[in-house]
Amino acid sequence: MIIYLHGYDSSSPGNHEKVLQLQFIDDDVRFVNYSTLHPKHDMQHLLKEVHKLVEQSDDSTPLICGVGLGGFWSERIGFLCGIKQVIFNPNLRPEINMQGRIDRPEEYEDIATKCVEEFRTKNRGQCLVILSRNDDIHDNQKSADELQSYYDVIWDENEPHKFKKISQHLQAMKAFKEA
């Protein structure tokens, strides 16, 4: 089973395309929708939904993945639910770069301080990071600098921030899921 979390733009047709591409790894792909507007509510909702999906699945190696804001949530929710994560161009600082786009961006900072201390150290090796060199939203070198001590990082030379095409990374994702 693969659980897919959309980014800030939940209605983007690219989400459907990514779900279809993920079905080449596992035919059981679950799309979990969340509001993107209220981070504390989103975290409670995502924890509940992902935990329920993992409990109901007979897959011994479920995976959660997301792009952008979905990557932020996939890393945290996957860690808290004990499953591997794949994150594409994760938004590592939504409390800063979501200002003016959501009601309470400061809640992301509150979530970060309430999360398990040094969770990336405890999550080491459980997340695969795929970063675009052509990200038009984030400086992915900063993301790589922050994450590469904990996780393997794969650089994509072609895709922009939203990663319309992920098929070139499916084999790496499949190998990571099954390892």
Side-chain angles (χ1 to χ4, degrees), residues 3-7 64-72 74 86-90:
I3 301 165
Y4 176 76
L5 303 183
H6 60 79
I64 187 169
C65 74
V67 178
L69 189 58
F72 170 88
S74 292
V86 175
I87 56 178
F88 290 85
N89 292 337

Side-chain angles (χ1 to χ4, degrees), residues 2-165:
I2 298 175
I3 301 165
Y4 176 76
L5 303 183
H6 60 79
Y8 179 69
D9 183 4
S10 63
S11 62
S12 169
N15 290 318
H16 180 67
E17 292 296 321
K18 284 186 264 307
V19 167
L20 291 176
Q21 292 174 59
L22 290 170
Q23 288 176 337
F24 284 102
I25 298 174
D26 190 317
D27 58 359
D28 185 9
V29 178
R30 310 290 179 97
F31 181 88
V32 177
N33 195 19
Y34 60 101
S35 77
T36 73
L37 297 176
H38 306 290
K40 284 184 180 178
H41 171 75
D42 289 342
M43 183 159 185
Q44 291 172 345
H45 170 72
L46 288 169
L47 269 172
K48 182 178 130 200
E49 290 300 310
V50 170
H51 179 72
K52 180 173 70 176
L53 290 171
V54 170
E55 289 294 309
Q56 292 172 349
S57 175
D58 59 358
D59 187 340
S60 61
T61 60
L63 181 76
I64 187 169
C65 74
V67 178
L69 189 58
F72 170 88
W73 286 120
S74 292
E75 182 189 18
R76 281 156 182 79
I77 301 299
F79 167 73
L80 293 171
C81 290
I83 62 174
K84 289 183 175 180
Q85 315 102 49
V86 175
I87 56 178
F88 290 85
N89 292 337
N91 182 347
L92 298 180
R93 300 281 176 264
E95 70 276 10
I96 296 169
N97 54 42
M98 299 298 282
Q99 295 282 338
R101 298 176 86 183
I102 64 173
D103 289 342
R104 301 178 205 111
E106 69 280 356
E107 287 183 4
Y108 285 108
E109 190 170 2
D110 191 44
I111 288 165
T113 61
K114 286 188 171 55
C115 202
V116 176
E117 268 187 58
E118 298 183 34
F119 86 95
R120 287 190 176 127
T121 300
K122 295 171 182 161
N123 196 42
R124 188 180 308 274
Q126 296 300 302
C127 184
L128 178 64
V129 181
I130 303 174
L131 299 173
S132 172
R133 292 212 191 270
N134 299 315
D135 191 322
D136 46 328
I137 306 291
H138 302 296
D139 179 349
N140 278 337
Q141 186 57 57
K142 288 181 181 177
S143 297
D145 293 344
E146 184 171 337
L147 299 172
Q148 64 192 356
S149 297
Y150 308 101
Y151 313 132
D152 288 339
V153 174
I154 296 173
W155 285 98
D156 184 281
E157 301 297 331
N158 299 312
E159 291 300 309
H161 178 72
K162 287 190 176 185
F163 255 99
K164 182 174 182 176
K165 183 175 158 241

